Amino acid sequence: MIIVVTRCLRSLRMRGLQQSVWLFLLGLSLALISSFAAPDHDKTQALAQERYGARAVETVAAWRRLIEESRDLPDLDKLNKVNTFFNRRILFQDDIVVWQQTDYWASPLEFMGRGSGDCEDFSIAKYTTLQILGVGNDKLRMVYVRAKIGSTASVAHMVLGYYPQPTAEPLILDNLITSVRPASMRSDLIPVFSFNSDGLWVGGATASSADPTARLSRWRDVLERMHQDGIN
């Protein structure tokens, strides 16, 4: 597990959390839509075949079945199914390996097409899928954390948080852990900030400390690629 965790966080460790926060505040768009429309599955599968081949088509088809079978489930069941789907099917690899870049935010199709990605890509894919399944944006936040790995110093990491109520303890979806767990059971994670389309929260704050603004950024690029892929 230590080896897997170390590899999973290597790219974020290289650039450091302070740089991540700085890039986020200066350039990452928080123009997240409150929910994603039903994806154009036929278009997405056709693009998967064209760009990535048969294995990607199989993964996208399985993702489509996941969505169709999970729409009417309670939120907790949706969380578990989505978390398990991506954690079991997708391999962690650093951006430099997958994209030959130190920091690249992949769309869900790119993530499933390559069959690999880093912690940000896992979080984006889970967030998008849960939005498609009707989980409200007010319950979901991308969360940057400091993660303690063994006896080593903490390193930067990204997870997805589900908040049953705005001030409630979140459930954490993490590519490093197979199960969805309450934040109180993840003493290895120290929250730094979280965000969604409604704002930005610093640490464990219950009130937003900033209004989201739309600007050219990695996330805005991701949204555009999702649109081109038939996902929103």
Side-chain angles (χ1 to χ4, degrees):
M1 174 63 74
I2 297 299
I3 295 174
V4 173
V5 169
T6 300
R7 290 183 61 243
C8 181
L9 300 170
R10 186 180 302 145
S11 62
L12 283 175
R13 182 190 309 170
M14 289 172 59
R15 62 184 180 270
L17 184 63
Q18 287 186 344
Q19 183 181 3
S20 296
V21 175
W22 183 247
L23 288 173
F24 171 81
L25 293 175
L26 287 180
L28 296 181
S29 169
L30 289 179
L32 305 177
I33 52 181
S34 60
S35 62
F36 288 100
D40 183 343
H41 286 296
D42 292 339
K43 178 179 180 179
T44 302
Q45 285 189 243
L47 289 172
Q49 176 66 59
E50 176 184 335
R51 298 175 185 173
Y52 306 107
R55 184 173 180 179
V57 172
E58 180 182 346
T59 300
V60 171
W63 178 66
R64 177 177 184 171
R65 291 194 298 272
L66 168 73
I67 292 171
E68 292 173 346
E69 294 169 0
S70 303
R71 290 189 185 279
D72 298 326
L73 296 177
D75 279 3
L76 184 57
D77 290 340
K78 292 177 181 178
L79 298 180
N80 284 309
K81 284 184 174 293
V82 169
N83 195 60
T84 298
F85 178 86
F86 288 108
N87 286 2
R88 287 185 176 177
R89 283 183 171 268
I90 309 296
L91 174 70
F92 171 82
Q93 284 189 317
D94 293 326
D95 286 334
I96 197 67
V97 175
V98 181
W99 300 105
Q100 293 74 56
Q101 299 181 36
T102 57
D103 189 19
Y104 182 83
W105 289 27
S107 72
L109 176 58
E110 292 171 327
F111 183 51
M112 290 185 285
R114 292 295 179 95
S116 59
D118 68 2
C119 54
E120 293 159 334
D121 303 329
F122 277 93
S123 297
I124 290 169
K126 293 172 185 180
Y127 175 88
T128 302
T129 304
L130 288 168
Q131 289 271 280
I132 292 170
L133 288 173
V135 178
N137 188 60
D138 59 327
K139 295 182 177 181
L140 297 171
R141 298 183 202 169
M142 307 278 196
V143 188
Y144 269 108
V145 300
R146 298 291 301 188
K148 291 184 63 177
I149 308 302
S151 59
T152 64
S154 61
V155 292
H157 184 43
M158 187 177 188
V159 298
L160 180 65
Y162 170 85
Y163 297 74
Q165 301 295 330
T167 60
E169 175 187 11
L171 298 174
I172 303 300
L173 289 71
D174 188 350
N175 63 292
L176 303 180
I177 302 296
T178 57
S179 60
V180 176
R181 301 183 185 181
S184 60
M185 294 181 63
R186 296 300 307 276
S187 59
D188 57 317
L189 303 180
I190 301 174
V192 178
F193 68 87
S194 60
F195 63 95
N196 65 16
S197 62
D198 299 322
L200 180 148
W201 293 259
V202 177
T206 57
S208 172
S209 63
D211 293 326
T213 57
R215 56 185 70 166
L216 294 175
S217 64
R218 290 178 180 84
W219 181 247
R220 194 156 186 82
D221 289 344
V222 169
L223 289 178
E224 177 60 28
R225 278 181 268 127
M226 287 186 198
H227 179 71
Q228 293 171 359
D229 296 343
I231 293 180
N232 70 28

